[in-house]
Amino acid sequence: MKKQLLITAMAVLCLGMTGFAQTKGTNALSFGINATTNKNSYKNLNQTEQITEQKSNLFSLGYGYFIKDNSKIGIEATYSQNTINSTGVTEQTFKSYGGNVSYQKYFPIVKTLFAYAGGKAGYAHGTQNQSQPLNSNNISQDYTSNSYTLGAYGGVTWFLGKRFALETSLLSADIAYNSTEQTQGTNLTAYTSKNTSFNFNSQGFINNLGFKIYILF
């Protein structure tokens, strides 16, 4: 059995309004919540029910400013938490917080519909704990990670009026540097290891059809 709940909400209170949506001097504020729950149940060979449940929550707060017509710079702060519980097997908790700075250039398509292209630089710090019983000893693993990303992306934006805009990302490519420290042990032993990695990731057309809502003033 699988149950998934997806909530996307944006809410901001603003006063005053000058100019059109994408003109120089316009401000853009956004607050986002994305919550997902997945639950799977099955029976093993001993007819014992096993349940795995995963919960994910992502919160973001952003601000953008049009430095000139159709050109916007922005900053965004993010926090996420992901937990996975499996009956008698594994429990994992992952938390991450970070932020990014971005630049977007808008190109008119038709009336209030615009295409955009931009770049983004970001940082995220994450922690993860994983525990798993092994006979009478418990295996525990703790991870601490730092991630630096630099990427380009593009999509479309629909300026619904002077106060609202709806935006989605269709294309993206990222270069990331990751540094991870792992501590693992049981009731008897423990050790620590470190590793770093560098990778390039490119996403194709309509890779993440999620929407972001801006309130403009």
Side-chain angles (χ1 to χ4, degrees), residues 55-83:
K55 296 181 179 180
S56 301
N57 296 283
L58 172 65
F59 306 91
S60 65
L61 178 65
Y63 168 76
Y65 179 76
F66 283 82
I67 55 176
K68 58 182 180 180
D69 291 357
N70 298 326
S71 295
K72 177 168 67 73
I73 58 173
I75 58 174
E76 184 177 51
T78 60
Y79 172 79
S80 65
Q81 180 173 318
N82 188 0
T83 59

Side-chain angles (χ1 to χ4, degrees), residues 11-31:
V12 180
L13 177 65
C14 62
L15 297 174
M17 177 69 202
T18 59
F20 294 96
Q22 65 276 20
T23 57
K24 180 179 178 180
T26 299
N27 299 277
L29 297 177
S30 65
F31 173 69

